[in-house]
Amino acid sequence: MRHFGHIAPEVRKRLFFREPCAFTPDSPARLLAAALGATLYSPATRPRLADDVLKQAGRGVVSMVLCLEDSIDDADVGPGEANLVGQLTALDGLPDADLPLLFIRVRAPEQIPDLVRRLGPAVRQLSGFVLPKFTEERGIPFLEALATAEAESGRRLFAMPVLESPELLYRESRVETLEGISRAVDKYRDRVLALRLGVTDFCSSYGLRRGPDMTAYDVQIVASVIADVVNMLGRADGTGFTVTGPVWEYFRVQERMFKPLLRQSPFLEVQAAELREKLIEHAMDGLLREISLDQANGLLGKTCIHPSHVLPVHALSVVSHEEFSDAQDILRPERGGGGVLRSAYTNKMNEVKPHRAWAERTLLRAEVFGVANQDIGFVELLAAGLPG
C-alpha cells in the first residue's frame, strides 16, 4: 500500500516531486508509525465490515481501527467479537486484496489472546490492538496480554495506547500519570507503534465539547494536556514516540458538498483564495486548522470517525517542495559541523543544529506522504484524491 495509491499513476506524477513510498504491515515500525495517517475508526458490529474495509482501502485509507469499546453498546461486545472474527476471516480469503493496517480496539486485556486464538490463520490480517484509557496500572496487563498473543501466534502485533484517562487530565496527578505511562511504554517500546490522544474523554471530564469552528487547541485544558504529552512522550531525542492527533467530531462536510466545487477546476481556474472561502462556508475550516495545529505541536496522523476526514489529513501531510528543500540542505553531510545558511527559496535562514531534528522528521514524512511539486498545494491534492 501507499498514500495516494488509489489515484492514477499519471496523476501522481503530475502532483509529486517524489511519490509516497510503498509499505506493508511488515515494514519497519518507524516507517509504519509515520505512515498511519488518518486512522479511520469503525464499529466492529457492522454487518458488512469486510466490504467496508475494502471500500475504504480503495479510497485511500491506509489504517483502520475496528472498535469493540466505546463505539458499541455493552450488550453487543460478544456479537461484535464474533462478527469481527468472521469478517477478518473473510478478508483473509482474499489473498490479493490490498488492505489497510488493521487494529482492534479492545475493552479488556483478556480479549487480546482470545481474539488472536479465534482468528487462527486470519491473524495475519491484523497489525495490532488499540488499548483504551491507558495508564501504567491499567496498561501493563494489556501489554502483557499482547506479548502473550504475539508469542502464541508468531505474528508481530503492535499496541497503540490511547491516552484519555482523567488522571492524565487533572493537574495534581498529571505528571505522576505521565511518568507511569512513560515507564510502561518504554518497557514495551518495540511493540508500541504510536500513542493516541482521547480528547473527547478529556472534554467529558469537564462537561465540555468544542464546536465545529474551534480546535482542540482552543480548549485550554485540553491544549495543556497535549503539550505535556508531547513534552514527556514525543521528544525527538530517540526516547519519544509518534503521538497522533485527536479526533474531529464533525462530519457535516460530505464529499458531495465540496467535490463539485473542486471539480470546477482542480488545477486552478478558480483562484485558491476564493476556493478556500467556499470550503470554509462548508465548515471544513475547523478541521483544516486543527490538522495544521496538530503538526505544529508535534503530532502526526489523526484519529478519524468519518471517511470525509481522511483525504484532508493526508493532503495536509504531504511535504511541500520548500520544506523538502530546506530539510535536505540542513542534513547535507558537509553541514555536520553546524552553521547557518540561507534557504534555497531565499526566504528564511536554516540553522543546521537546531533544525536537524525537524529536518529528519520532515524527510521521514516525505518518504511516506511524498513531496509535492512546486506548483502543487492542498487544493490540488484534495481534488485529485476524491473518488471518481
Side-chain angles (χ1 to χ4, degrees):
M1 71 193 87
R2 72 171 75 219
H3 284 288
F4 297 94
H6 65 298
I7 64 178
E10 62 272 17
V11 177
R12 289 203 306 269
K13 185 176 181 179
R14 180 173 58 192
L15 294 174
F16 289 100
F17 176 75
R18 284 198 178 181
E19 290 191 24
C21 71
F23 57 92
T24 74
D26 297 317
S27 294
R30 183 170 179 267
L31 187 74
L32 293 180
L36 286 168
T39 300
L40 184 63
Y41 275 54
S42 178
T45 51
R46 291 180 67 87
R48 296 180 59 83
L49 188 60
D51 291 338
D52 292 343
V53 169
L54 292 169
K55 177 181 177 181
Q56 296 308 326
R59 301 175 75 177
V61 173
V62 303
S63 64
M64 288 186 70
V65 173
L66 314 177
C67 185
L68 289 165
E69 207 229 355
D70 286 347
S71 68
I72 67 172
D73 190 271
D74 294 349
D76 291 332
V77 174
E81 290 177 344
N83 184 61
L84 197 53
V85 170
Q87 300 285 342
L88 285 173
T89 300
L91 288 172
D92 192 53
L94 305 172
D96 297 326
D98 192 8
L99 301 179
L101 303 172
L102 296 176
F103 302 84
I104 298 174
R105 183 173 179 173
V106 290
R107 295 184 173 213
E110 56 269 21
Q111 286 179 295
I112 294 175
D114 178 61
L115 286 167
V116 167
R117 292 183 196 113
R118 291 163 66 181
L119 281 168
V123 73
R124 58 179 161 240
Q125 303 302 332
L126 194 61
S127 290
F129 291 85
V130 175
L131 315 181
K133 299 171 179 61
F134 192 92
T135 62
E136 182 179 29
E137 181 181 3
R138 288 196 292 269
I140 288 292
F142 280 102
L143 293 169
E144 290 173 343
L146 181 75
T148 297
E150 186 178 64
E152 290 180 357
S153 66
R155 168 71 180 168
R156 181 179 71 166
L157 296 169
F158 288 111
M160 290 202 291
V162 185
L163 310 186
E164 56 187 345
S165 66
E167 299 98 314
L168 187 58
L169 183 64
Y170 300 151
R171 174 174 295 212
E172 66 272 18
S173 55
R174 184 179 304 171
V175 172
E176 181 181 356
T177 302
L178 279 169
E179 288 174 343
I181 290 170
S182 180
R183 287 190 296 268
V185 295
D186 190 61
K187 182 179 178 181
Y188 291 85
R189 174 171 293 274
D190 290 345
R191 287 297 170 262
V192 176
L193 188 62
L195 304 177
R196 312 200 71 89
L197 287 164
V199 164
T200 301
D201 279 42
F202 289 157
C203 289
S204 72
S205 295
Y206 287 88
L208 304 175
R209 188 174 192 181
R210 67 192 190 276
D213 58 342
M214 300 182 70
T215 72
Y217 303 91
D218 295 314
V219 183
Q220 292 301 299
I221 290 176
V222 170
S224 71
V225 182
I226 295 174
D228 286 344
V229 167
V230 174
N231 191 327
M232 293 187 68
L233 298 169
R235 298 178 186 179
D237 60 0
T239 66
F241 295 84
T242 295
V243 183
T244 66
V247 69
W248 181 257
E249 297 179 353
Y250 297 92
F251 46 88
R252 184 156 55 93
V253 179
Q254 302 283 346
E255 285 176 0
R256 65 177 179 270
M257 297 174 68
F258 58 81
K259 179 177 174 181
L261 177 65
L262 290 167
R263 289 300 188 197
Q264 287 178 24
S265 180
F267 297 97
L268 291 187
E269 294 170 12
V270 179
Q271 293 297 312
E274 177 186 348
L275 189 53
R276 178 171 172 78
E277 288 178 5
K278 292 180 180 179
L279 288 170
I280 291 171
E281 291 173 5
H282 291 307
M284 198 176 184
D285 189 52
L287 172 61
L288 301 186
R289 286 195 299 118
E290 185 162 291
I291 298 167
S292 297
L293 287 168
D294 286 342
Q295 294 175 359
N297 284 277
L299 310 183
L300 181 61
K302 198 166 187 66
T303 296
C304 295
I305 56 167
H306 196 272
S308 64
H309 300 165
V310 171
L311 188 54
V313 172
H314 292 170
L316 283 176
S317 297
V318 173
V319 172
S320 71
H321 187 274
E322 181 175 345
E323 290 176 308
F324 182 68
S325 173
D326 288 339
Q328 280 198 314
D329 282 350
I330 289 164
L331 294 176
R332 291 188 192 284
E334 62 268 26
R335 308 291 186 192
V340 179
L341 57 145
R342 185 175 65 173
S343 74
Y345 275 69
T346 69
N347 61 356
K348 71 177 77 67
M349 299 303 292
N350 291 324
E351 294 191 61
V352 173
K353 288 184 177 178
H355 290 142
R356 178 170 295 275
W358 169 85
E360 290 170 348
R361 285 187 169 184
T362 298
L363 290 190
L364 179 59
R365 183 160 58 92
E367 186 174 358
V368 295
F369 288 102
V371 179
N373 273 317
Q374 287 182 274
D375 58 343
I376 297 297
F378 166 76
V379 170
E380 292 86 358
L381 291 163
L382 184 66
L386 290 172

